[in-house]
Amino acid sequence: MSSDDVDDHNGRVIKVHKDNDIIYTTFEFVPGGSKSRIEEVNNDLLHIMKLVNEHLSEPYSIYVYRFFLNNWPKLCHIARLKSNNEIIGVIISKSEPHRNTRIRGYLGMLAINPTYRSNGIAKRLIEMNINNMIKFYKVDEIILEAEVINKTALSLYENFGFIRVKRLFRYYLNTHDAYRLILPITEKSCIRSTFLEQLDPNQLEDYI
Amino acid sequence: MDYSIEGIQSIDINNDSSKYIDITDQFFDVTKVELGIGFALCINMGWADIKHGEIVKAKSFSLFQGTHALEMMNKRLDTGLVELSKEEREFDVTAGRNFDEVLAIMNDLLKYLMSWLNNSSLSRTILSCRYVEVLLVNYCTGNKSLASCRFGANVELKDDDDEESLLIHKVLRSFILGCLEFVKFVLFLGQQGVLYEEEDINTTSMGLDILSKISKQDIINELEKSINWLQKFCNHMNKNYMIDLLLMINNLIKPNLLTITITFDQSSSPKPKELLFLQESLKIAKSLKSNKEFFSKLPQVPKGCLSQGVQRRLDNGVPLTPLNMDPFDSVYDSFINMIQDILVIFELINIQNINHINLFIMCFMNKREDPIHIIARAFLQLFYIREDRSIMGDPKTRIDSLLLKDLISLTCCDSKIFQEYENYEKKGSKINNHNRIEYIDKFLELLANLENNYYSNFLTISQNPCRQRQHFNRSILTWDTLQVQSEMFEQELFQKYNINDFYKVDGNNNDHHQEEIQSMPISSWIYYHKLKSMLEVVLRGVELEIYKKWELYSIFWYSSYLYEILIEHLHRIQHANSYKKNLILNMPKKIKKLKSGEKKQQLKEIYKIKSKQILPQLIEIETRLEQDFTIFTILKNLSDCEKYLFSILDDLKLLELPKLNMVPESLSYGLKMKPFQSVGVPEFPTFTKWQMVKKSLQTNVDTKEKKLHTLTCIKKLCDFIKTQISDTITKLNNNNNNNNKDKNENGKSQFTDFVQKELTLWHNQLLRSCIGISLTCSLLSKQLVDPNFQDINQIHHKYTVLLQRDGYHRYFPCIKVVENPMK
């Protein structure tokens, strides 16, 4: 297995053996469970929130996490170190009908602990997340927003085939512009919603 | 669901807080067994076994609503957690302050005012001043009179009272009132829906009423009282700085700009007196800016005066944010720009022609270097189109009549459809009475639909560049729908009543037969605007860096394709216009041939009217079309240069899609071209069509020799474009030099100074792009014969494409092939 040398920003270098040392899983927030399981989930959730809070510019309340995790439990993926179970990466998404004509996945948050960046963790999480959106929610497209100045993030998503469709003026609280990017999954993504048929109301529950 | 908790019914929020019941312990008692992290949104005390992770909520409550909540105890969201220093907590707004301290506060308030307009919020700027907060809270909780705008107990002030006290309670108070009057004006602009909240401006005022019940005149009086007092009673050596700050704000708020009226189609009006106030304010601002050193030596404002405390104390729906004060130079530059930009708007007084007004507005909304100040942007829109849809307050010119002028100024001049409309009550119409009503109804319906779209175009004046592109994107759909409606209407008129505008061109055979072509003036006007909107979406996409380099190839091909169609369309309009012009010019011959009589007399009358009224309009359209031809040809040629350059880069495999791409190229192309996918005319280029085009372009560059030849051709094309642009710039400069000569009989000129400057800048930037492309071709020609480039199939391993935008026209970045530092 290959390994990368990672600077942990304190002058130390962390060696991560990509496939052996990191576990990638869905973080399904299922109510209930044993006391130890509850403690474990609580602990994980706190770590996820900490990770996002520290590395994304926008502040999110607990309600934002609950909105995503409770409604779309299959669309939260985490990467954790096998050695100590530490969560070092997380991706949180949702899927909803857009203008009642197509199903749109939305990639809400992606945060990787800087110490472990450049190990392909983000790529792996995005891939798993996209696959679940397609498999479980039959999305026609996946969208996200990224800061115009965040070249690393833009390059990461664009490598997957996300296309910039819109620039959003002063989108973030820090006043930076953002790009809206879309990954087209089906032909529906390429047609204006005005010209698409309305979704079957009986099937809507399958999507959300 | 019944929510009940013992004692909770007795809570009365209007009562003293000592009567409130603290239910925190009970809440955690109920939830402690299972609820790990407090998520319960509504608690039913009957449930002792809420499962971990379970959300208890009313059905009507969506979790999405919850995402807007500000979470308590979260340091990034709960502003109640902000820790205030002793000075902040105990700051005394009633105490007198010395001159320098008060001047420093006033200086900072001005900085805050302008920082707010530079994409900040009131809570981070002007409201964070303790004096402003207290004054507004007292106003809101008092009787909302001028007397309630105070810092403490209402004290009757006398001119010979303690100076330090007067500096606070008289001078600083009036300065704050003046600043707040301006805030009120800005909030009014914000509330008119011409600006986007949080993008262009943040109007959240923390639940405070910004002096809505206080008249502007009352505030001006307070400011003038302070100025008089300083002049007569204050002996401080630097009092003039303080007076200047007061005067600057006073002159800023004085004019009632939105009541100024400019009459359309009338002789040049004198500059409104109201503008003198702005000019005075501008003069003072420039003078104060030149005294930066003096202001930099002022003491810091008293500790605790500026504080985040307001975010904790008042209604606050956003997370805790740091205070935001721009530096001195930037603040004064911003103030000066704001006034200068507003003054520029009044150059409209000197414009008469609808095309020149449109040009002025286009230049205004497209100014990118030193962008137009947000207040001026909002102001122009509200000034230009008033609440009653009149134009610049002229009761005779409303949006509907402006639309008619616009139609006539391009394709509908002397058109039979319009003549029929104008004469519909006259005898001799080709339409019988019953059908005439149907015709009028349909015509008015079409005009009403056109008017809506036309009006919404003007709403882009105040929008930011991102929103403008979104508008053009949406407008493609509406123009397309209108074109279909209009074509049906014009066809019906032709088929049913033989009402038809047409022009004649020479037929294909050499039999002197002339072919009659329907000009469809209204549809033609719509098509012109639709094509322009499509091009706006494409080229503004380049400006906003929407397209990556591998997308730009097809994008420049598409812009070239659209320009070609637009130029073809202009030719049709030109033919129709020339035909109408020649008909008038040939009338004397016809009249001469006729025998004397009623018919001859009638024709003479018609000729008299047409040569006086219609002919000048047709000649003006001719001039406009020539200008359009020039600029569209330049833009098409530049698109071609980029397209051919990209075809070489593509063949060198320098535009390959990213490696991890999960999407077929056809879908990427489809998504990128989505704005145009529904357009019927011009035909949408499918992915297959694009592949064919690409293949045919590739055959011109698939060998080194062909590439070198193509590069030589691009350079030649660049030389041609440079000549075109230079000629245009020369014409513009001549126009500037002969500005007085060019003024028409009403004293109104074609281009204002602002338009002249912006057009010259626009063309100079195009020239720079052209030179940049030409240089890139020279460099690439050299690189192609360089030994490092010998193995053409390996070039993409060693080199990469770089897009340079700075210094070039925003639609045509410069492409460079450079060594890839990553490889």
Side-chain angles (χ1 to χ4, degrees), chain A residues 32 42 53 57 66 164 175 192, chain B residues 39 52-53 76 119 545 675:
Chain A
N42 280 346
N53 201 32
S57 62
R66 293 311 305 267
R164 299 177 191 183
T175 75
R192 285 187 192 253
Chain B
F39 297 136
H52 171 257
R76 291 181 77 186
N119 194 27
E545 299 181 39

Side-chain angles (χ1 to χ4, degrees), chain B residues 584-698:
Chain B
I584 299 173
L585 292 173
N586 290 329
M587 278 177 86
K589 282 183 197 167
K590 272 189 178 178
I591 294 168
K592 209 173 175 182
K593 282 179 189 170
L594 285 175
K595 285 178 187 171
S596 299
E598 198 184 336
K599 203 175 174 187
K600 186 167 183 164
Q601 201 52 40
Q602 271 180 355
L603 204 60
K604 269 186 178 175
E605 284 300 313
I606 293 171
Y607 174 66
K608 203 175 159 187
I609 295 167
K610 289 212 171 188
S611 58
K612 201 173 176 188
Q613 292 176 5
I614 307 293
L615 194 61
Q617 289 185 52
L618 294 170
I619 292 168
E620 202 163 317
I621 293 169
E622 208 168 56
T623 313
R624 181 221 171 137
L625 289 171
E626 276 165 22
Q627 286 166 356
D628 273 6
F629 269 126
T630 309
I631 187 64
F632 294 158
T633 310
I634 291 170
L635 296 169
K636 185 201 176 297
N637 287 339
L638 274 167
S639 301
D640 279 336
C641 288
E642 298 265 18
K643 173 182 79 178
Y644 292 127
L645 200 47
F646 272 106
S647 71
I648 295 172
L649 301 177
D650 187 53
D651 196 64
L652 291 171
K653 297 187 179 68
L654 287 165
L655 303 176
E656 284 190 329
L657 291 170
K659 284 174 192 164
L660 280 175
N661 205 321
M662 292 175 79
V663 181
E665 204 186 331
S666 59
L667 268 188
S668 296
Y669 175 87
L671 180 61
K672 176 179 63 196
M673 300 297 277
K674 185 169 149 184
F676 320 104
Q677 186 267 341
S678 61
V679 176
V681 182
E683 191 184 350
F684 174 71
T686 59
F687 181 66
T688 316
K689 160 100 179 170
W690 162 237
Q691 289 298 302
M692 284 162 63
V693 169
K694 207 162 102 168
K695 205 172 175 182
S696 113
L697 284 165
Q698 197 201 2

